[in-house]
Amino acid sequence: MNQFDVCVVGSGPGGYVAAIRSAQMGLKTVIIEREKLGGVCLNVGCIPSKAMITAGHFFHRVNNDAAEMGINISGKVTVDAATLQKWKQSVCDKMSGGVGQLLKGNAVETVLGDAVFKDAQTVEIKSSKGSKVIAAKNFIVATGSRPIEIPGFVIDEKNVLSSTGALALEEIPKKVVVIGGGYIGLEISGFLSDFGTEVVVLEAAKELLSGIVDKDAVQVVVRKLKKKGVTITTESFAKSYKKKGSVLEVTYEVAGKAQVVEVDKILLTVGRKPNSDQANLKGIGLNIDEKGFVKVNAQRKTNIPGIYAIGDIAGQPMLAHKASHEGVLVAEVIGGKNRAYDAKTVPAVIFTDPEIASAGMTEEECKKAGYTDLKIGKFPFAANGRAVSLMETDGFVKIIANAKNNIVLGVHVCGPEASQLISEAALAIEMGATLEDLALTIHPHPTLGETVMEAAEAALGHAIHIIQRPLARASASSNHKTV
Ligand code: NAI
């Protein structure tokens, strides 16, 4: 039997990062993966969806913006879905291959197969090649999550697709119903509508992304989705579907009334659940909460000494970068460093058109946290030279600060490259930066980044490129006045 210092189960952005850092710490490390290195993120999630979104955006711009720039295209611009898939797959394979090389280069042993805990010190790995038992002093469980299903809709990746199926379509469907207008539903709706698919989004809640992101940001995205022809129905509940020839007849309910929509494909994106019912995690006695997350402390230790859990299986937010952060942290704890999870913010990005990115609290969260006096500055991309020259002027940067000391509490970006801009905000919040720190930092011109500086100036009452009243100050108990 092989004996290791660290055995990582699952090679997603939590697991592979934990394994590399463990090896860097001088620990004899093995990683086990049942599918492909890189997990959901690299193979069927973050990376392929970004490839599809890039292609969709490109296609949409060629068809819609090129002529205004004087670029004339003779003939019809079409999408070859099979070639698109090939390219998307090459992106994933490059990334997954890169993980393999990094693991090898760091002397991490990789074992492919399905791991099941025999007890708290050993796992058995089964694959088509047989089985193998590995013992380790420490285990890092990073086995992730999977899509939730609802009654009447079983994911078969033919009629009812999860994100995995939607990212592997060999043909662009004519009409799709998307059940669940969350992160995944809206990202996929975006690229499908870019490629010309008629999209109908059914969302159970009153609003899209409610309580997750800034309300003004949601409005910008909804407006653009509608402009692209996407139908969004809120407070609607998908009930069942019937196959009628090549058509899928989906029944849903709005205000108690049954409605029917006929589509080619159904996309089910109503959330994900942790894989804590697998790998015999319950059998060895790991404490699991009522939502299915493995219970962990600030060092990501479980109730069993020597077993750690990170990533989607260890709690919200289910985001790749939170998993990677925990991976490094746990490897360092095992290696003897005094580390604990104490992040002030986990920035989040939704790759819609335009993108929505946030760090820190929304206005509602600030109120709930007891901040009664806020300064809020908002700066539109329409007033930024680089955004105008990119022909991407929808959206804004909003900064919320504590009016008592100007410390930045939240930054919400909706607009071009919001995903790139949010890291500055995350750093500001981690460092306890003030509005002045952002406003007095020289931002290069002409860049989208200037909008962050100008939003901070706006909160201080003196942005240069918008006309505003002097001093934007609002009380959380009254309606916020945003400038
Ligand atoms: P989600 O939780 O973001 O959204 C699910 C949506 O479905 C919610 O709006 C919910 O109200 C709605 N819903 C639930 N049941 C419904 C029903 N029966 N009928 C209609 N609507 C219903 O979940 P999603 O989009 O599946 O994503 C799962 C997780 O994956 C996210 O929470 C996120 O952590 C992660 N993710 C992150 C991405 C990123 O960082 N860019 C991209 C994609 C996913």
Side-chain angles (χ1 to χ4, degrees):
M1 186 167 42
N2 292 316
Q3 174 75 41
F4 290 88
D5 295 320
V6 177
C7 173
V8 182
V9 186
S11 75
Y16 85 75
V17 169
I20 291 171
R21 188 70 189 116
S22 296
Q24 287 174 343
M25 299 291 293
L27 300 160
K28 189 181 175 206
T29 306
V30 60
I31 189 164
I32 307 164
E33 171 57 52
R34 66 181 169 194
E35 288 177 33
K36 283 188 178 173
L37 291 177
V40 169
C41 173
L42 262 59
N43 295 291
V44 289
C46 324
I47 299 300
S49 63
K50 295 319 83 80
M52 298 299 276
I53 287 166
T54 301
H57 202 54
F58 190 28
F59 183 69
H60 186 260
R61 295 207 70 182
V62 167
N63 281 316
N64 291 274
D65 299 342
E68 197 177 331
M69 292 179 186
I71 300 165
N72 297 316
I73 294 150
S74 53
K76 202 167 175 248
V77 181
T78 57
V79 190
D80 174 354
T83 306
L84 174 60
Q85 280 301 323
K86 228 189 258 168
W87 171 70
K88 178 218 78 179
Q89 198 51 47
S90 74
V91 173
C92 297
D93 292 347
K94 242 176 240 158
M95 302 313 295
S96 178
V99 168
Q101 281 170 8
L102 287 170
L103 290 168
K104 203 170 163 198
N106 280 284
V108 174
E109 191 169 317
T110 300
V111 177
L112 295 178
D114 208 347
V116 175
F117 277 87
K118 283 169 77 76
D119 53 44
Q121 289 82 36
T122 47
V123 285
E124 182 174 11
I125 302 125
K126 288 186 183 152
S127 71
S128 54
K129 290 183 184 145
S131 84
K132 184 172 185 169
V133 175
I134 281 177
K137 290 185 200 141
N138 300 282
F139 287 91
I140 303 175
V141 180
T143 48
S145 61
R146 64 182 186 274
I148 293 174
E149 288 178 339
I150 54 171
F153 297 88
V154 176
I155 295 169
D156 58 8
E157 305 298 8
K158 272 173 72 188
N159 299 319
V160 183
L161 312 176
S162 71
S163 49
T164 302
L167 293 168
L169 286 166
E170 288 284 346
E171 268 174 48
I172 307 293
K174 282 199 180 70
K175 189 164 178 179
V176 163
V177 68
V178 176
I179 306 173
Y183 270 67
I184 301 181
L186 292 186
E187 289 189 7
I188 296 177
S189 296
F191 77 71
L192 285 177
S193 72
D194 280 343
F195 288 132
T197 301
E198 191 183 340
V199 179
V200 178
V201 178
L202 304 180
E203 167 56 50
K206 258 191 181 157
E207 287 160 27
L208 293 182
L209 306 168
S210 107
I212 305 175
V213 294
D214 181 82
K215 284 186 172 179
D216 297 346
V218 178
Q219 272 181 21
V220 175
V221 169
V222 167
R223 215 180 299 132
K224 190 115 186 227
L225 279 170
K226 286 186 174 167
K227 203 171 147 192
K228 285 183 179 177
V230 175
T231 307
I232 298 167
T233 323
T234 52
E235 294 182 273
S236 56
F237 302 85
K239 292 288 169 192
S240 60
Y241 84 95
K242 267 192 262 166
K243 195 162 165 49
K244 281 198 169 169
S246 61
V247 170
L248 307 174
E249 198 182 85
V250 179
T251 304
Y252 62 100
E253 234 175 65
V254 186
K257 280 198 185 140
Q259 318 255 4
V260 172
V261 61
E262 289 188 348
V263 294
D264 307 327
K265 300 279 177 197
I266 300 164
L267 173 62
L268 191 63
T269 50
V270 293
R272 298 180 64 88
K273 62 178 175 191
N275 287 330
S276 54
D277 52 346
Q278 302 174 351
N280 196 29
L281 298 181
K282 284 184 184 161
I284 57 164
L286 274 189
N287 278 347
I288 290 162
D289 74 13
E290 64 288 349
K291 290 192 170 141
F293 294 114
V294 175
K295 287 189 189 173
V296 289
N297 70 7
Q299 290 192 309
R300 297 306 180 245
K301 288 180 176 165
T302 67
N303 60 307
I304 300 180
I307 302 190
Y308 300 76
I310 60 170
D312 284 10
I313 202 158
Q316 296 283 3
M318 292 194 193
L319 296 173
H321 41 282
K322 176 241 172 197
S324 300
H325 181 83
E326 291 174 322
V328 170
L329 182 155
V330 165
E332 293 186 353
V333 168
I334 295 171
K337 283 192 181 239
N338 187 15
R339 287 277 325 263
Y341 186 89
D342 67 348
K344 280 193 194 158
T345 178
V346 181
V349 179
I350 310 178
F351 290 82
T352 41
D353 179 18
E355 296 173 351
I356 300 176
S358 60
M361 291 184 275
T362 60
E363 287 177 55
E364 293 78 32
E365 286 165 342
C366 287
K367 269 189 240 172
K368 272 194 205 141
Y371 292 100
T372 51
D373 202 6
L374 300 173
K375 281 184 189 168
I376 301 170
K378 197 170 170 187
F379 189 84
F381 280 99
N384 172 270
R386 187 67 188 111
V388 175
S389 68
L390 284 166
M391 221 192 253
E392 300 253 17
T393 52
D394 289 330
F396 58 85
V397 176
K398 185 191 271 188
I399 301 188
I400 307 166
N402 181 354
K404 290 196 171 76
N405 51 19
N406 286 354
I407 288 179
V408 176
L409 300 173
V411 179
H412 306 276
V413 186
C414 177
E417 306 292 349
S419 53
Q420 310 293 341
L421 299 177
I422 205 64
S423 294
E424 177 182 3
L427 180 67
I429 290 170
E430 283 297 335
M431 296 193 72
T434 61
L435 292 170
E436 290 84 350
D437 290 324
L438 289 174
L440 294 173
T441 297
I442 298 177
H443 286 64
H445 178 74
T447 63
L448 297 170
E450 288 172 282
T451 55
V452 176
M453 174 182 74
E454 293 238 33
E457 287 173 345
L460 292 166
H462 54 75
I464 298 299
H465 294 93
I466 49 171
I467 298 161
Q468 61 178 146
R469 286 179 301 103
L471 200 63
R473 195 175 174 121
S475 160
S477 54
S478 65
N479 279 341
H480 291 143
K481 293 199 179 81
T482 307
V483 288

